[in-house]
Amino acid sequence: MLSWLQRTLFASQPDVRLTRRSARLLRGKYDSALTSNNNRRHWSNADGLSANAANSPEVRRILRNRARYEVANNSYARGIVLTLANDIVGTGPRLQLLTEDAQANRQIELAFNQWAKAVGLAEKLRTLRMAQTQDGEAFAVLISNPRVETDVQLDLRLVEAEQVTTPDLRWNDARAIDGIVFDAAGNPVEYHVLREHPGGGHSFVKDYDRIPADAVLHLFRVDRPGQSRGIPDITPALPLFAMLRDYSLATLDAAKAAAYYAGIIYTDAPPHGETDAVEPLDPIELDRNTLLTMPGGWKMAQLHAEQPTGTYAEFKREVLNEIARCLNMPFNIAAGNSASYNYASGRLDHQTYFKSIRIDQSRIETIVLDRILAAWFDEAVLVDGLLPSGLGPIAEWSHQWFWDGHEHVDPQKEANAQATRLASHTTTLADEYARKGQDWEAQLRQRAKELQLMSELGLAVASPTSSAPTEDDADVDQDEETPVSAE
């Protein structure tokens, strides 16, 4: 006899045979996981490599070289890389301190901006961002440069990606990835930087410096967990760039072949029919404004290119649109052509692009700018009188970065929207000026000086007027009829 506890436990267990049968019935398949004769070749290169194994030194070298080749020889690739760097970095970020002492804030901001101008910080940031797009990653080493014409002699030495490598890397070292050594927690400890570029005249030299991670800035986009090195942002577009150039050359060749010949003569008569004898491929000289007689039984026709050049523009548009997609860039910015755009579609496309730019700027602030500011502070405290006293520890100084703003496609509508936001107290002057990349305190001080001078000179100050929203502001259909140009 089974006890009460044994009967209860037995009753609570499912029938093993029923469970196995249900498992067989519930077994399913994914169409994407099936391999057939139709998709075998397409998925043949799919692998299960880790992020670092997939981005091996050889793979990164090939991608870098091909990306640089396209950027150097393809005007669209060059323009896209330049435009992206210019839109993200612009004329350079500007520091704004947010401590309670406004005068001290202005003093520090002025000193930092003077240093940034002396070392060409904006230009170096644009170069770093271009390197990330075409090389996959960018490196900068914090150094002391005695030729910097400011009290703080901090500087950035830019290093190309292939120069950060370990020639004698031991592949059994799990904490070392080509050029970078990590600690047990996965934090970079040191970087190995070749003293000479491997593509230089002394490429056989493999000497390298071990630079502490605190002195190295490494900018790249992390696409996979555990990824330590980057690949070019335009990697998915490299075959498309090649395709676009090949198609353009083929179209040009077809048009040139058709233009080489004024026409051809042919006959519909049978091989031994009643036609005059004509030598095959014999050229005939033609004069302008003359009538031409053909041999008996022969006709003249103009040579036409059979290649479908009529679809050339549409093909280029689709390929460029696909190229720009991997960079979150709208077509009209990538192509430098807004002929087919209107206000509504332009604004919608640019919202995604500007959001991507803000995310990129935020990453640059965290990885590059904040670390540069900390290093600048470390040296600035050693200079007598450069930093004001009484502000407390530097680590507690709140700050933010201003970037160049983006002009609106319709300034009048944006001005009306701005006035509405301020009147309804849904925004602040700081936020509105930040949209334009400006410091609201500096702008208000400048405006106060202008009003004071205008008053002293007896000039009338125009009162602000706001126009009420019109039907065009609210009617999307009306907006769609208004073409716009590229920003």
Side-chain angles (χ1 to χ4, degrees):
M1 293 292 293
L2 296 175
S3 64
W4 173 85
L5 179 59
Q6 291 174 328
R7 291 196 304 270
T8 303
L9 292 175
F10 182 79
S12 64
Q13 297 296 325
D15 190 344
V16 176
R17 292 174 298 175
L18 180 60
T19 303
R20 292 176 178 174
R21 181 181 179 186
S22 300
R24 290 195 299 269
L25 294 176
L26 294 176
R27 183 181 301 168
K29 295 181 178 179
Y30 295 97
D31 291 343
S32 297
L34 297 177
T35 301
S36 63
N37 294 330
N38 295 328
N39 65 7
R40 181 175 286 105
R41 293 184 61 185
H42 180 80
W43 300 112
S44 60
N45 292 327
D47 57 56
L49 297 176
S50 67
N52 291 327
N55 299 340
S56 63
E58 181 62 16
V59 169
R60 287 186 283 108
R61 183 188 67 82
I62 294 175
L63 292 177
R64 275 197 311 267
N65 292 342
R66 292 179 179 178
R68 288 174 180 172
Y69 176 83
E70 287 298 332
V71 172
N73 295 278
N74 189 310
S75 60
Y76 282 113
R78 168 72 71 169
I80 288 173
V81 171
L82 285 174
T83 298
L84 189 61
N86 291 339
D87 286 346
I88 293 175
V89 179
T91 59
R94 292 168 292 281
L95 172 67
Q96 184 187 45
L97 289 179
L98 303 175
T99 68
E100 298 296 332
D101 191 338
Q103 184 176 357
N105 292 343
R106 291 194 296 272
Q107 177 182 344
I108 298 174
E109 291 167 5
L110 179 60
F112 182 84
N113 290 336
Q114 289 176 343
W115 169 84
K117 184 177 181 180
V119 300
L121 180 61
E123 181 67 24
K124 292 179 178 179
L125 289 177
R126 286 191 292 269
T127 302
L128 288 174
R129 191 57 188 84
M130 291 174 61
Q132 178 187 329
T133 306
Q134 70 176 7
D135 298 347
E137 52 191 347
F139 295 88
V141 181
L142 300 177
I143 63 173
S144 178
N145 186 355
R147 303 194 63 176
V148 175
E149 297 179 353
T150 59
D151 294 329
V152 175
Q153 296 185 333
L154 175 71
D155 201 354
L156 280 73
R157 180 169 65 91
L158 305 187
V159 177
E160 285 203 298
E162 58 264 45
Q163 205 166 340
V164 179
T165 184
T166 309
D168 54 354
L169 178 65
R170 294 175 298 175
W171 296 106
N172 58 352
D173 189 352
R175 295 184 181 179
I177 301 297
D178 185 39
I180 310 176
V181 179
F182 299 88
D183 61 13
N187 302 307
V189 176
E190 66 180 17
Y191 288 80
H192 300 163
V193 180
L194 296 178
R195 295 177 181 175
E196 296 188 17
H197 195 284
H202 303 282
S203 58
F204 57 88
V205 178
K206 301 299 182 181
D207 295 336
Y208 62 90
D209 296 318
R210 298 175 179 268
I211 301 178
D214 293 340
V216 178
L217 307 175
H218 185 192
L219 180 65
F220 73 103
R221 190 184 67 201
V222 181
D223 295 322
R224 296 177 58 183
Q227 181 177 344
S228 303
R229 301 293 297 262
I231 59 174
D233 292 349
I234 60 174
T235 295
L238 290 179
L240 299 175
F241 280 123
M243 183 191 307
L244 184 62
R245 294 176 66 191
D246 288 344
Y247 187 77
S248 298
L249 292 176
T251 302
L252 178 61
D253 290 340
K256 289 169 62 178
Y260 283 154
Y261 304 98
I264 59 174
I265 58 174
Y266 69 98
T267 180
D268 296 329
H272 300 287
E274 298 179 356
T275 58
D276 293 343
V278 175
E279 292 294 332
L281 303 179
D282 187 21
I284 301 175
E285 295 292 338
L286 300 179
D287 294 329
R288 296 178 58 185
N289 300 324
T290 59
L291 293 176
L292 183 66
T293 59
M294 291 291 100
W298 295 87
K299 302 178 183 178
M300 173 175 279
Q302 187 177 2
L303 183 63
H304 296 281
E306 297 298 331
Q307 197 267 348
T309 56
T311 61
Y312 175 67
E314 185 64 24
F315 175 81
K316 285 186 62 176
R317 177 184 175 86
E318 292 301 320
V319 173
L320 280 174
N321 198 29
E322 187 175 353
I323 287 173
R325 190 63 193 93
C326 67
L327 299 173
N328 286 323
M329 179 181 290
F331 164 78
N332 68 323
I333 294 181
N337 184 358
S338 299
S340 61
Y341 267 65
N342 52 59
Y343 172 80
S345 59
R347 183 177 177 85
L348 184 62
D349 283 359
H350 292 177
Q351 285 178 348
T352 302
Y353 180 54
F354 293 153
K355 181 181 295 184
S356 176
I357 288 177
R358 289 194 297 270
I359 293 173
D360 218 323
Q361 291 171 343
S362 177
R363 187 170 73 250
I364 293 177
E365 291 175 7
T366 303
I367 298 176
V368 178
L369 294 178
D370 288 348
R371 292 185 57 189
I372 290 177
L373 181 62
W376 186 86
F377 278 144
D378 290 341
E379 188 172 344
V381 296
L382 304 177
V383 180
D384 293 336
L386 183 59
L387 299 182
S389 59
L391 293 180
I394 294 177
E396 298 179 1
W397 295 1
S398 180
H399 70 279
Q400 63 181 358
W401 300 95
F402 282 108
W403 302 83
D404 291 348
H406 299 280
E407 296 182 2
H408 199 274
V409 293
D410 193 325
Q412 180 63 40
K413 293 182 179 180
E414 179 62 16
N416 292 338
Q418 183 184 77
T420 302
R421 291 193 296 266
L422 288 171
S424 61
H425 304 291
T426 56
T427 187
T428 63
L429 284 175
D431 291 339
E432 295 302 325
Y433 278 110
R435 293 174 186 268
K436 301 172 63 177
Q438 297 174 337
D439 184 348
W440 69 279
E441 291 182 340
Q443 296 300 316
L444 289 182
R445 289 192 186 93
Q446 177 62 28
R447 185 56 178 160
K449 293 179 182 179
E450 294 173 354
L451 293 176
Q452 181 180 358
L453 181 59
M454 293 174 68
S455 177
E456 293 175 358
L457 298 177
L459 299 176
V461 179
S463 59
T465 59
S466 60
S467 58
T470 63
E471 293 181 358
D472 290 347
D473 296 336
D475 190 357
V476 176
D477 295 335
Q478 182 70 23
D479 287 340
E480 292 181 348
E481 297 176 0
T482 306
V484 298
S485 58
E487 293 184 340

